[in-house]
C-alpha cells in the first residue's frame, strides 16, 4: 500500500472549514483513499473514501488531485465535536485479501471556539 | 443505524491469566477484524476473519492469540496468557464484503489492563 504523509497537527476555528491535506505520491491506479477519524480513545470512525473522483457525503468532502498524488478532506463547518485525529489511508484492491487498514499517526485537528 | 458492539468496555486481569474479548459485528457483514492500540501509539491490525477462518494476521498475532466466531453473532478474541505489554485498547471491526467500496465499522473498544 502507498505511504501517506499528513501534518502532525492543525487548528481550525469553530464554524470555519477544516481542510486536512494528505500526500500519497506513490499511489497506484487500484488504490483507494480512505479517511477515518478517532475521537479521543474511541473506535476509529469512517468518514469518506474515493478512487479518483471527488466525493461528498453528509460528513465531509474529499478532493483528490487529478494525478491522485494528494487529497484534501474538507469538513465544511467544523464544530468542537470534530476535534479528533484524522487518518488518511491508502488501500489497494487486489481482488483478494482482507483489506485491513494500516493506520499512521494522522493529523490531530483541534477546533478552537 | 447498525453498529459494532464490544464487551466488556474495561477488563482488568492479572499477568498470566486468560481473557476473552467479545464483539458483535453488524449482522450482514462478512469480514471481521481485531485491532489494538497501545496508549499513545498507532492503531495496529491484529487479525482478519472471513468464512470461519483467519484471512490474514499480523506479526503481533502470535500463538497466544486466537479468534473464534462461536455462533452467528459473536466474534471473540482470546489471549491465552496475558502479558503486561498486552495492555491496550482492542477494537473490533466489521465489513460487509471484500469490495473496497465497503468501509470498515469499528466498535467502541475494550480497554484491557494487565497488572
Amino acid at each position: 500500500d502507498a505511504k501517506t504523509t499528513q501534518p502532525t497537527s492543525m487548528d481550525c476555528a469553530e464554524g470555519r472549514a477544516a481542510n486536512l491535506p494528505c500526500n500519497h505520491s506513490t499511489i497506484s491506479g487500484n488504490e483507494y483513499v480512505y479517511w477515518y477519524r478517532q475521537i479521543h480513545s474511541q473506535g476509529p470512525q469512517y468518514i469518506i473514501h474515493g478512487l479518483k473522483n471527488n466525493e461528498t457525503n453528509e460528513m465531509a468532502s474529499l478532493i483528490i488531485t487529478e494525478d491522485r498524488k494528494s487529497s484534501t478532506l474538507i469538513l465544511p463547518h467544523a464544530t468542537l465535536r470534530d476535534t479528533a485525529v484524522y487518518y488518511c489511508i491508502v488501500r489497494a484492491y487486489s481482488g483478494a485479501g482482507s483489506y485491513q487498514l494500516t493506520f499512521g499517526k494522522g493529523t490531530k485537528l483541534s477546533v478552537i471556539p | 443505524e447498525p453498529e459494532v458492539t464490544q464487551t466488556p468496555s474495561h477488563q482488568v486481569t492479572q499477568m498470566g491469566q486468560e481473557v476473552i474479548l467479545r464483539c458483535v459485528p453488524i449482522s450482514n457483514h462478512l469480514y471481521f477484524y481485531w485491532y489494538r492500540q497501545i496508549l499513545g501509539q498507532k492503531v495496529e491490525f491484529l487479525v482478519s476473519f472471513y468464512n470461519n477462518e483467519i484471512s490474514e494476521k499480523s506479526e503481533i498475532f502470535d500463538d497466544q492469540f486466537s479468534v473464534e466466531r462461536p455462533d452467528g453473532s459473536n466474534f471473540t478474541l482470546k489471549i491465552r496468557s496475558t502479558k503486561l505489554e498486552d495492555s491496550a485498547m482492542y477494537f473490533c471491526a466489521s465489513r460487509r464484503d471484500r469490495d473496497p467500496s465497503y468501509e470498515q465499522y469499528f466498535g467502541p473498544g475494550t480497554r484491557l489492563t494487565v497488572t
Side-chain angles (χ1 to χ4, degrees):
Chain A
D1 297 330
K3 181 179 163 56
T4 61
T5 304
Q6 298 178 253
T8 303
S9 63
M10 293 180 65
D11 291 341
C12 176
E14 188 178 16
R16 304 295 295 268
N19 296 277
L20 292 95
C22 179
N23 283 317
H24 30 79
S25 58
T26 60
I27 195 169
S28 57
N30 66 345
E31 289 182 313
Y32 285 73
V33 180
Y34 293 86
W35 283 84
Y36 281 77
R37 74 180 181 183
Q38 189 175 25
I39 297 172
H40 196 47
S41 295
Q42 298 176 24
Q45 178 189 23
Y46 167 80
I47 302 172
I48 199 166
H49 74 280
L51 184 60
K52 48 182 150 181
N53 297 322
N54 297 337
E55 302 287 345
T56 295
N57 63 20
E58 64 279 1
M59 285 183 70
S61 295
L62 174 60
I63 308 297
I64 303 174
T65 58
E66 197 169 333
D67 63 9
R68 304 209 321 125
K69 292 185 177 183
S70 66
S71 60
T72 301
L73 177 75
I74 301 172
L75 307 178
H77 305 287
T79 70
L80 298 179
R81 284 177 292 186
D82 292 321
T83 293
V85 179
Y86 287 77
Y87 301 99
C88 169
I89 299 169
V90 172
R91 191 60 175 93
Y93 171 54
S94 63
S98 63
Y99 310 111
Q100 67 268 23
L101 299 170
T102 300
F103 289 83
K105 294 183 179 178
T107 296
K108 167 73 174 154
L109 175 70
S110 299
V111 180
I112 313 296
Chain B
E1 185 177 313
E3 58 183 20
V4 177
T5 59
Q6 291 186 242
T7 53
S9 57
H10 191 186
Q11 174 88 49
V12 181
T13 189
Q14 288 192 322
M15 198 167 51
Q17 295 296 305
E18 174 184 287
V19 292
I20 297 175
L21 310 183
R22 292 183 167 79
C23 167
V24 179
I26 295 173
S27 63
N28 62 346
H29 285 193
L30 301 178
Y31 266 102
F32 312 114
Y33 306 81
W34 284 101
Y35 293 80
R36 80 169 186 192
Q37 186 175 34
I38 295 171
L39 186 65
Q41 297 188 24
K42 296 186 282 188
V43 177
E44 301 173 288
F45 166 73
L46 292 178
V47 66
S48 60
F49 193 85
Y50 173 73
N51 201 25
N52 281 320
E53 61 182 22
I54 291 174
S55 179
E56 291 187 51
K57 61 183 180 179
S58 71
E59 291 178 354
I60 302 168
F61 194 86
D62 61 21
D63 292 344
Q64 292 300 310
F65 292 88
S66 63
V67 288
E68 193 178 31
R69 188 153 162 83
D71 53 42
S73 58
N74 290 284
F75 179 51
T76 62
L77 174 70
K78 182 194 289 187
I79 309 175
R80 261 181 271 284
S81 177
T82 50
K83 309 189 214 27
L84 294 175
E85 53 264 37
D86 293 327
S87 295
M89 283 290 288
Y90 288 80
F91 297 109
C92 174
S94 70
R95 187 151 174 261
R96 184 173 163 185
D97 201 326
R98 63 172 57 189
D99 187 319
S101 65
Y102 290 116
E103 59 272 20
Q104 287 185 32
Y105 290 90
F106 285 78
T110 292
R111 179 174 298 284
L112 177 65
T113 302
V114 182
T115 62

